[in-house]
Amino acid sequence: MTAWDSLWTNARIATMAPSGYASPGDDPYGAIEDGAIAVAGGEIAWIGTAADLDRTQARGVPAHDAGGAWITPGLIDCHTHIVYGGNRAAEFEQRLNGATYAEVAQAGGGIVSTVRATRRASVDELVESALPRLSAILSEGVTTVEIKSGYGLDTKTERRMLQAARRIPEHLPVDVETTFLGAHALPPEFAGDADGYIDLVCREMIPAVAETGEADAVDAFCETIGFTRDQTERVFRAARDHGLPVKLHAEQLSDLGGAALVAEYGGLSADHLEYAGEEGVRALAGAGTVAVLLPGAFYYLRETQLPPVDLFRAHGVGMALSTDCNPGSSPVTSLLLMLNMACTLFRLTPAEALAGVTREAARALGLQDLIGTLEPGKAADFALWNIGSPGELAYPAGFNPCRAVVKYGVLVGGEM
């Protein structure tokens, strides 16, 4: 029998496991009242009610009294662009004065303006600028974050962004998944030659980040102001040839068939999806691809086309949520706020929203066997909350009830 390293008791636990550990019933949170969690080697060794705790096994194990707090899995921010140079506050003002996101991009702003600033930044500077943003996100119980490249648009800078993302855990208690997003926009030096740039992405950039292990996945922006479906498929083929899973910015501004395409390649996720139709949703369901909803971008861009949440429900497509933290369309550093916005703007239930930043977010990163629910054998990543029920996490806007954060069984934030 494996010795326990620590024990967390006197807790109410939202396991977020599909079947949960509760009594028979339809509890979407998988709740355990008067629960306890035992940790060994950074993993959950046992979880259950205090009445079922093996007192002999627990004898002498350092115990932490949760004081009746709710415990959830550590939250997961599964779609961010948090590493970049400069900012785009001026463009925010332009949009408020009437310019559209597409018009700003066509005038040389948008993603390309961030590219100019990012190309001038060193790895150290990129890390330094990202840390305050990420610290704000982590203060709300986040223990895993995905970080995309996509503001370099040349091999050297794209790799520098991924290297900066990989260094963040040296400074903060978080696991980072990196995604190569070279096919994010067309760089100025390839103006009018999108196919030529995709050649560079496929023949040079993807092989480089695959060989060095700097990327965990490959993403692209399939959109009228991004890349065509055919160009995106070339990126996916190159990713597959180099053993990297894919995901996609799809159907944010129009329906180009991106959802069906990423499903065809067994993609981890399709993200945004405001304009997704039933054909695309059926494809996602068939592939088990997660729909990542990004209410921050919807809000900042003042969009009116809602993602097809009812279709996702009807076809059993898992829905994840994320901040989409980026300098242009979603400068958001609060994942809890995204829970509220997903409920108020997209009409998710609080239980769906919490699943979207735990269980479904883990699936969107391909990490469902390691994190996202509180079960034996998974990482002992969890957050403690001063709340009356798990649904309360989606209720306030601008209030953080996180009491403490535990990473691999070790207290890394807050107090007990």
Side-chain angles (χ1 to χ4, degrees), residues 41-102:
E43 296 181 349
I44 297 172
W46 178 89
I47 186 169
T49 65
D52 293 331
L53 179 64
D54 185 334
R55 301 292 172 177
T56 301
Q57 174 85 349
R59 188 175 298 123
V61 176
H64 305 270
D65 187 340
W70 274 95
I71 292 180
T72 70
L75 305 190
I76 302 164
D77 200 352
C78 65
H79 177 131
T80 85
H81 306 253
I82 208 165
V83 170
Y84 59 83
N87 74 62
R88 281 152 56 190
E91 294 175 16
F92 176 65
E93 187 170 3
Q94 289 171 10
R95 291 201 305 273
L96 290 176
N97 285 326
T100 67
Y101 183 66

Side-chain angles (χ1 to χ4, degrees), residues 82-387:
I82 208 165
V83 170
Y84 59 83
N87 74 62
R88 281 152 56 190
E91 294 175 16
F92 176 65
E93 187 170 3
Q94 289 171 10
R95 291 201 305 273
L96 290 176
N97 285 326
T100 67
Y101 183 66
E103 287 169 345
V104 169
Q106 290 164 359
I111 292 168
V112 175
S113 68
T114 300
V115 169
R116 290 193 292 269
T118 303
R119 286 180 174 181
R120 294 192 296 265
S122 67
V123 171
D124 288 341
E125 289 168 337
L126 290 172
V127 171
E128 184 178 359
S129 67
L131 290 178
R133 295 187 286 269
L134 193 50
S135 293
I137 289 174
L138 298 190
S139 71
E140 295 184 343
V142 172
T143 54
T144 301
V145 63
E146 184 255 23
I147 300 176
K148 303 179 190 295
S149 66
Y151 295 125
L153 308 186
D154 61 35
T155 305
K156 181 179 180 180
T157 314
E158 288 292 305
R159 291 190 59 198
R160 195 158 64 235
M161 292 184 69
L162 295 171
Q163 292 161 7
R166 292 287 201 205
R167 281 180 46 185
I168 283 174
E170 299 173 8
H171 304 270
L172 294 171
V174 63
D175 285 333
V176 171
E177 290 289 301
T178 55
T179 298
F180 169 69
L181 182 57
H184 194 197
L186 194 62
E189 59 269 26
F190 279 88
D193 186 16
D195 284 326
Y197 178 63
I198 293 298
D199 283 343
L200 179 68
V201 168
C202 296
R203 297 176 182 176
E204 181 176 310
M205 294 187 186
I206 289 176
V209 300
E211 181 180 359
T212 59
E214 291 164 343
D216 298 306
V218 171
D219 197 348
F221 185 30
C222 183
E223 191 49 77
T224 52
I225 61 171
F227 297 94
T228 68
R229 191 183 190 279
D230 288 344
Q231 290 162 346
T232 301
E233 184 165 18
R234 290 172 57 196
V235 173
F236 284 1
R237 285 199 299 265
R240 181 183 59 192
D241 290 345
H242 288 85
L244 290 171
V246 298
K247 54 185 73 172
L248 186 64
H249 287 60
E251 273 77 280
Q252 180 183 7
L253 306 173
S254 61
D255 187 352
L256 297 186
L261 176 64
V262 73
E264 180 182 337
Y265 280 79
L268 296 172
S269 70
D271 304 34
H272 288 290
L273 294 173
E274 282 87 340
Y275 285 83
E278 186 155 12
E279 181 181 354
V281 174
R282 287 182 183 275
L284 296 178
T289 300
V290 177
V292 178
L293 308 184
L294 303 169
F298 179 90
Y299 167 79
Y300 263 91
L301 296 178
R302 297 188 291 178
E303 294 290 348
T304 57
Q305 177 78 20
L306 292 167
V309 168
D310 286 340
L311 282 179
F312 296 145
R313 289 173 177 147
H315 293 286
V317 175
M319 293 179 285
L321 298 173
S322 182
T323 60
D324 191 17
C325 179
N326 73 69
S329 63
S330 188
V332 172
T333 57
S334 173
L335 192 56
L336 291 181
L337 180 59
M338 297 303 94
L339 270 69
N340 177 273
M341 285 188 173
C343 293
T344 56
L345 299 177
F346 297 166
R347 299 295 188 264
L348 267 66
T349 67
E352 287 173 328
L354 185 54
V357 296
T358 54
R359 182 179 68 241
E360 300 305 321
R363 290 184 56 226
L365 297 178
L367 299 177
Q368 61 269 27
D369 293 335
L370 303 175
I371 57 175
T373 61
L374 298 177
E375 302 178 80
K378 291 193 174 183
D381 291 1
F382 46 87
L384 287 77
W385 308 91
N386 292 324
I387 53 177

